[in-house]
Amino acid sequence: FFINYQVNFMYWRYFMWNFVGRQNDIQGHGEIEHGNWITGINFIDKMLVGDQTLLPSELRDNKGRNVFYGLPLLLGLIGLFWQAGRGKRGARQFWVVFMLFFMIAFVTNFAGSMAIIAKSQFEASNAMAQLGTLANFLAYAFMGVPAGIILKRKGYKFTSLAAVVVGIVGVGVQLLSGYVASFEVYVLGAFIAGFSMTMLNIVVNPMLNTLGGGGNKGNQLVQLGGSCSSVGGTLAPILLGYLIGGQVTENTSVSDAAPAMLIAMGIFAV
């Protein structure tokens, strides 16, 4: 179920819609004529979902049909391999980009996914359960200016390391909330983790522009980072769902997500 539905049908299909092509905007449930990803190249599509020329006109002319012939995906892969293949410096830049953006998106989307578990354990309303996500983003308002001052006075390295330490503390406090059964502690942990995300965002864009040599090359590196951010944001809810057994029940608690939280802390440490 996890591989076939959650990963392939829900996430991979959506990803390919944006970078390869979309068959139509009709909600599909596994049928070959509804809502699949296609390339626009008939012999490839024939192997994936059958001959598209045989579809009735109302499906062929559907307004939600978009074909990119896989070009956005191909260009993105070329960019990844080009960046990673630029010798030691290129490989270092690639991994720095990947880990920083991945970390930011992973932990941010992790907070959103945790709301469902918080609602289950703390018997919170839908609105209350989202307070963790709200606290995570409110931290940007409180920490934006101080983070900029720290960066200016202490530099990239110090600010990055400080953000990592704050992030480990924030996720650790969220983990603790499951054992002490305190919703307030959970929200506090999300707020602290938000401080870390703010500091990393303050650091990452100018640092990547500098690593890329400034100008257009620097901007290309920032765009690559955005792609890595999408990967992290997509993997966070998948991983959390897998580690808690695929679904949230009335007995699911924050402590059940301990393996995922430890992984998040490990990502910070790396």
Side-chain angles (χ1 to χ4, degrees):
F1 175 81
F2 173 72
I3 297 296
N4 290 332
Y5 183 77
Q6 194 72 15
V7 175
N8 183 44
F9 188 74
M10 293 300 293
Y11 289 97
W12 179 250
R13 184 173 62 120
Y14 289 3
F15 175 84
M16 298 298 272
W17 278 357
N18 289 294
F19 292 95
V20 178
R22 184 178 184 180
Q23 188 180 35
N24 50 58
D25 60 3
I26 300 173
Q27 176 61 52
H29 301 282
E31 309 93 342
I32 62 171
E33 73 273 20
H34 293 155
N36 298 291
W37 65 270
I38 58 173
T39 65
I41 304 171
N42 195 50
F43 79 91
I44 296 177
D45 294 336
K46 188 180 294 186
M47 292 186 288
L48 294 172
V49 290
D51 191 345
Q52 297 299 290
T53 62
L54 300 179
L55 290 173
S57 59
E58 61 266 23
L59 292 180
R60 286 199 311 271
D61 300 330
N62 182 273
K63 292 183 179 180
R65 181 183 177 89
N66 289 300
V67 291
F68 309 126
Y69 306 103
L71 291 176
L73 179 63
L74 180 62
L75 292 172
L77 290 174
I78 291 173
L80 285 174
F81 287 117
W82 174 81
Q83 182 64 39
R86 293 177 61 201
K88 290 184 178 180
R89 187 182 179 211
R92 183 188 65 195
Q93 291 174 353
F94 174 81
W95 288 113
V96 167
V97 169
F98 182 85
M99 290 308 299
L100 284 174
F101 273 95
F102 183 91
M103 183 192 307
I104 293 169
F106 185 91
V107 177
T108 300
N109 284 272
F110 184 83
S113 302
M114 283 293 296
I116 302 173
I117 300 176
K119 178 184 176 182
S120 171
Q121 177 173 1
F122 304 120
E123 298 181 352
S125 65
N126 289 330
M128 289 289 289
Q130 294 299 324
L131 282 179
T133 304
L134 177 63
N136 194 267
F137 284 99
L138 275 178
Y140 283 80
F142 285 91
M143 195 61 189
V145 173
I149 294 173
I150 294 171
L151 176 63
K152 185 176 180 179
R153 292 182 177 178
K154 296 292 187 178
Y156 291 114
K157 185 175 181 180
F158 178 89
T159 309
S160 299
L161 292 175
V164 167
V165 172
V166 173
I168 291 174
V169 171
V171 176
V173 171
Q174 284 185 291
L175 177 60
L176 177 65
S177 72
Y179 294 99
V180 300
S182 171
F183 182 68
E184 291 77 11
V185 173
Y186 165 75
V187 174
L188 175 63
F191 190 59
I192 296 172
F195 282 169
S196 174
M197 297 302 98
T198 306
M199 296 170 73
L200 285 174
N201 272 296
I202 290 290
V203 167
V204 69
N205 288 308
M207 186 177 74
L208 293 180
N209 194 279
T210 301
L211 281 174
N216 289 332
K217 290 185 178 180
N219 290 332
Q220 288 171 2
L221 200 59
V222 173
Q223 295 303 315
L224 173 61
S227 300
C228 297
S229 178
S230 298
V231 173
T234 300
L235 289 180
I238 295 177
L239 180 63
L240 181 60
Y242 175 74
L243 292 175
I244 65 172
Q247 63 182 23
V248 176
T249 68
E250 60 182 12
N251 297 319
T252 304
S253 68
V254 174
S255 59
D256 292 326
M261 288 188 165
L262 291 174
I263 289 173
M265 294 169 74
I267 289 173
F268 273 115
V270 171

Coordinates of all heavy atoms in Angstrom, one line a residue, residues 19-20 39 67-78:
F19 N 6.3 18.0 -14.2 CA 7.6 18.0 -14.9 C 7.6 17.2 -16.2 O 8.5 17.2 -17.0 CB 8.7 17.5 -14.0 CG 9.0 18.4 -12.8 CD1 8.4 18.2 -11.6 CD2 9.9 19.5 -13.0 CE1 8.7 19.1 -10.6 CE2 10.1 20.4 -12.0 CZ 9.5 20.2 -10.7
V20 N 6.5 16.4 -16.4 CA 6.5 15.5 -17.6 C 5.2 15.8 -18.4 O 5.3 16.2 -19.6 CB 6.6 14.1 -17.3 CG1 6.5 13.2 -18.6 CG2 7.9 13.8 -16.6
T39 N 3.7 11.6 -21.2 CA 4.8 12.4 -21.8 C 4.4 13.3 -23.0 O 5.1 14.3 -23.3 CB 6.0 11.5 -22.2 OG1 5.5 10.7 -23.3 CG2 6.4 10.6 -21.0
V67 N 1.1 18.5 -21.9 CA 2.2 17.7 -22.2 C 3.5 18.5 -22.3 O 3.5 19.5 -23.0 CB 2.0 16.8 -23.4 CG1 0.9 15.8 -23.2 CG2 1.6 17.7 -24.6
F68 N 4.5 18.1 -21.6 CA 5.8 18.9 -21.6 C 6.9 18.0 -22.3 O 8.0 18.5 -22.3 CB 6.2 19.3 -20.2 CG 5.1 20.0 -19.4 CD1 4.8 19.5 -18.2 CD2 4.5 21.1 -19.9 CE1 3.8 20.1 -17.4 CE2 3.5 21.8 -19.2 CZ 3.2 21.3 -17.9
Y69 N 6.5 16.8 -22.7 CA 7.5 15.9 -23.4 C 8.7 15.6 -22.4 O 9.7 15.2 -22.9 CB 8.0 16.5 -24.7 CG 6.8 16.9 -25.6 CD1 6.4 18.2 -25.8 CD2 6.1 15.9 -26.3 CE1 5.4 18.5 -26.6 CE2 5.0 16.2 -27.1 CZ 4.7 17.5 -27.3 OH 3.6 17.9 -28.1
G70 N 8.5 15.7 -21.1 CA 9.5 15.4 -20.2 C 10.7 16.4 -20.1 O 11.7 16.2 -19.4
L71 N 10.5 17.5 -20.9 CA 11.7 18.5 -21.0 C 12.0 19.1 -19.6 O 13.2 19.2 -19.3 CB 11.4 19.5 -22.0 CG 11.3 19.0 -23.5 CD1 10.9 20.2 -24.4 CD2 12.7 18.5 -23.9
P72 N 11.1 19.6 -18.8 CA 11.5 20.1 -17.5 C 12.2 19.1 -16.6 O 13.2 19.5 -16.0 CB 10.1 20.5 -16.9 CG 9.2 20.7 -18.0 CD 9.6 19.7 -19.0
L73 N 11.8 17.9 -16.6 CA 12.5 16.8 -15.9 C 13.9 16.6 -16.4 O 14.9 16.5 -15.7 CB 11.7 15.5 -15.9 CG 12.3 14.4 -15.1 CD1 12.4 14.7 -13.7 CD2 11.5 13.1 -15.4
L74 N 14.0 16.5 -17.7 CA 15.3 16.3 -18.4 C 16.3 17.4 -18.1 O 17.4 17.2 -17.7 CB 15.1 16.1 -19.9 CG 16.4 15.9 -20.7 CD1 17.0 14.5 -20.3 CD2 16.0 15.8 -22.2
L75 N 15.8 18.6 -18.2 CA 16.7 19.8 -17.9 C 17.1 19.8 -16.5 O 18.2 20.2 -16.2 CB 15.9 21.1 -18.3 CG 15.7 21.3 -19.8 CD1 14.8 22.5 -20.0 CD2 17.0 21.5 -20.6
G76 N 16.2 19.5 -15.6 CA 16.5 19.4 -14.2 C 17.6 18.4 -13.9 O 18.5 18.7 -13.1
L77 N 17.5 17.2 -14.5 CA 18.5 16.2 -14.3 C 19.8 16.6 -14.8 O 20.9 16.3 -14.2 CB 18.0 14.9 -14.9 CG 16.8 14.2 -14.2 CD1 16.3 13.0 -15.0 CD2 17.1 13.8 -12.8
I78 N 19.8 17.2 -16.0 CA 21.0 17.7 -16.6 C 21.7 18.7 -15.7 O 22.9 18.6 -15.5 CB 20.8 18.3 -18.0 CG1 20.3 17.2 -19.0 CG2 22.0 19.0 -18.5 CD1 19.9 17.8 -20.3

